[in-house]
Amino acid sequence: MAIIPDTKDWTWVLRRPCPDCGFDTSAFPREQVAPMILANAAAWRDVLTGQPGVSVRPAPDRWSPLEYGCHVRDVLRLYDFRLQLMLAEDDPLFPNWDQDETAVAERYGEQDPLVVADELSSAARPISDRFAAVAGDQWQRTGARSDGACFTVETFARYLIHYPIHHFYDVTGATGRTL
Ligand SMILES: [Zn+2]
């Protein structure tokens, strides 16, 4: 069985705690998003470098820790690009991104976990720095996804940080509160 494409709209995580990973984006201080990105990236490094069988899928239709690590790395890169757009342009429309197509095209399951660990750390730093530098009215700058979902920099920050925390839960069972 192949991976079933994820077409769910995850913007509900801005309105209520996630029933899976337990993370409550609305209660999380926006100023903590930047340091949390780095703390989470460090935790991913431990996952990607510390386990044998990191490339093994727990079930045929579930990504391996390696595949999730690749996904988190690419989300961090993509969201840093989108954040730059929001800060530089007025209400930009983000170019579309198909995460499941990317996973297949980039052969996530065949990548080197040690390289992915380095790349994930490298991807975390610039977006963390960029969020750390957001100030004042910049939190209210806007942008929109191609499916019509609208964000401010603040909701975008909250939405983004749920991704790596949720996927860390997917591979370790650890919740956002215990990261
Ligand atoms: Zn979650």
Side-chain angles (χ1 to χ4, degrees):
M1 180 192 269
I3 296 290
I4 298 164
D6 183 1
T7 55
K8 285 197 296 285
D9 175 11
W10 282 85
T11 50
W12 56 264
V13 301
L14 296 171
R15 296 185 292 276
R16 59 183 186 271
C18 177
D20 297 326
C21 72
F23 191 70
D24 184 354
T25 65
S26 64
F28 193 70
R30 64 187 186 188
E31 289 76 14
Q32 290 302 310
V33 169
M36 183 56 112
I37 289 170
L38 298 182
N40 175 270
W44 272 102
R45 172 177 289 282
D46 292 343
V47 167
L48 291 167
T49 61
Q51 289 182 10
V54 75
S55 60
V56 177
R57 288 184 174 181
D61 61 345
R62 283 183 62 83
W63 273 348
S64 66
L66 171 62
E67 289 172 291
Y68 272 121
C70 291
H71 176 59
V72 168
R73 172 201 62 199
D74 288 353
V75 164
L76 292 170
R77 289 173 174 168
L78 175 75
Y79 276 62
D80 189 39
F81 171 70
R82 290 179 172 177
L83 178 58
Q84 290 177 65
L85 285 181
M86 292 177 87
L87 294 171
E89 300 175 14
D90 289 335
D91 203 24
L93 183 65
F94 308 142
N96 195 26
W97 181 58
D98 186 318
Q99 63 179 38
D100 296 292
E101 209 172 88
T102 303
V104 173
E106 301 293 322
R107 297 177 182 272
Y108 278 180
E110 297 171 25
Q111 296 193 20
D112 181 339
L114 301 181
V115 173
V116 173
D118 283 344
E119 290 176 343
L120 196 155
S121 296
S122 299
R125 175 57 69 178
I127 187 170
S128 175
D129 287 350
R130 219 174 303 281
F131 274 124
V134 170
D137 292 348
Q138 283 183 315
W139 285 109
Q140 302 313 318
R141 293 187 63 82
T142 57
R145 217 164 49 185
S146 54
D147 66 354
C150 298
F151 298 88
T152 62
V153 169
E154 177 165 351
T155 60
F156 185 77
R158 297 182 188 285
Y159 186 78
L160 172 276
I161 195 58
H162 173 253
Y163 261 102
I165 289 173
H166 187 95
H167 291 321
F168 192 75
Y169 162 82
D170 279 329
V171 302
T172 66
T175 67
R177 283 189 288 270
T178 58
L179 181 67

